[in-house]
């Protein structure tokens, strides 16, 4: 298998190598996906995306992390794929099937895309957690000494994938690269989890740093932004309209009150088209 074409795109620096398997079937192994994602020897990206035919939507989006593992949802990738498919179909709105369900992407101008990420799941068994917690706005989990924990009492939610959000006074005061791997693989999370540090700066804004499951530190994570926004609103730290500032830029999150759907809006960028030898 040689010279396979891809498109390199990013949403706030959260970058993807996108392969089109709708006409010429392409089945990437975990090893091939990890090679493509490798920033030294491969293309270099946070996730590898494969577009496939769908009987339910305009396209099916398969998502492979930088370590080759498959995940069910990726908000920024959904926005990038939405831009591709909308351009192909000459439509402002398109549907994208994922393992987490069918999502709707709406093009807002040349480089802004809104995605309806659906309804968040707060039940402990839906996240999932290893043990029952009736109130997932705050669970018993901490890092550090019992009497002086460094991080503690995170909010948890599933937004197509599991998220754990630790509320801190200063996101820069903690070494997420150190704690991220430990927390991602904590026994509390049987399917691992995305780990975030969130700093609320006003009733309609927060700052977020993310350790992404299977990818590590990332400039932006769309589902993490959604997760932090809905958990902040649920804890009454913010309202339902929040600007989430990530290292790569800002995402606008609206947790719609009428049906509890999460709408995420932000920019996308096409970096280049290229080929890679997968043999």
């Amino acid at each position: 298998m040689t010279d396979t074409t891809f498109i390199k795109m990013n949403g706030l620096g959260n970058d993807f190598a996108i392969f089109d398997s709708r006409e010429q079937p392409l089945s990437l192994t975990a090893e091939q996906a990890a090679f493509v994602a490798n920033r030294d020897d491969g293309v270099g990206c946070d996730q590898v995306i494969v577009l496939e035919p769908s009987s339910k939507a305009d396209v099916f989006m398969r998502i492979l992390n930088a370590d080759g593992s498959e995940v069910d949802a990726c908000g920024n990738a959904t926005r990038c794929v939405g831009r591709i498919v909308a351009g192909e179909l000459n439509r402002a709105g398109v549907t994208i099937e994922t393992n987490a369900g069918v999502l709707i992407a709406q093009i807002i101008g040349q480089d802004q895309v809104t995605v309806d990420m659906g309804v968040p799941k707060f039940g402990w068994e839906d996240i999932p957690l290893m043990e029952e917690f009736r109130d997932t706005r705050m669970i018993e989990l901490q890092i550090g000494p019992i009497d002086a924990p460094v991080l503690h009492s995170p909010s948890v939610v599933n937004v197509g994938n599991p998220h754990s959000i630790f509320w801190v006074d200063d996101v820069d005061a903690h070494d997420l690269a150190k704690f991220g791997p430990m927390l991602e693989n904590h026994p509390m999370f049987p399917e691992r989890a995305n780990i975030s540090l969130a700093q609320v700066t006003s009733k309609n804004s927060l700052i977020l740093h993310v350790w992404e499951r299977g990818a590590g530190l990332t400039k932006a994570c769309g589902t993490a932004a959604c997760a932090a926004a809905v958990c902040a609103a649920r804890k009454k730290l913010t309202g339902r309209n929040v600007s989430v500032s990530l290292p790569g830029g800002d995402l606008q999150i609206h947790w719609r009150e009428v049906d509890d759907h999460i709408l995420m809006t932000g920019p996308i960028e096409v970096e280049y088209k290229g080929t890679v030898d997968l043999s």
Side-chain angles (χ1 to χ4, degrees), residues 10-90:
N10 79 78
L12 299 179
N14 184 194
D15 57 351
F16 315 100
I18 302 173
F19 294 84
D20 193 343
S21 177
R22 288 172 290 180
E23 294 186 2
Q24 296 291 330
L26 175 65
S27 180
L28 289 180
T29 65
E31 291 76 16
Q32 286 173 321
F35 164 71
V36 170
N38 188 286
R39 296 190 185 275
D40 294 323
D41 302 317
V43 175
C45 58
D46 291 325
Q47 277 87 24
V48 176
I49 307 299
V50 181
L51 305 184
E52 300 175 2
S54 171
S55 61
K56 299 179 180 179
D58 293 314
V59 69
F60 178 87
M61 179 177 74
R62 191 169 303 283
I63 310 159
L64 301 169
N65 271 334
D67 65 358
S69 61
E70 185 170 353
V71 292
D72 293 338
C74 179
N76 285 323
T78 304
R79 294 192 298 106
C80 289
V81 170
R83 188 68 186 85
I84 291 174
V85 178
E88 293 173 347
L89 300 178
N90 195 28

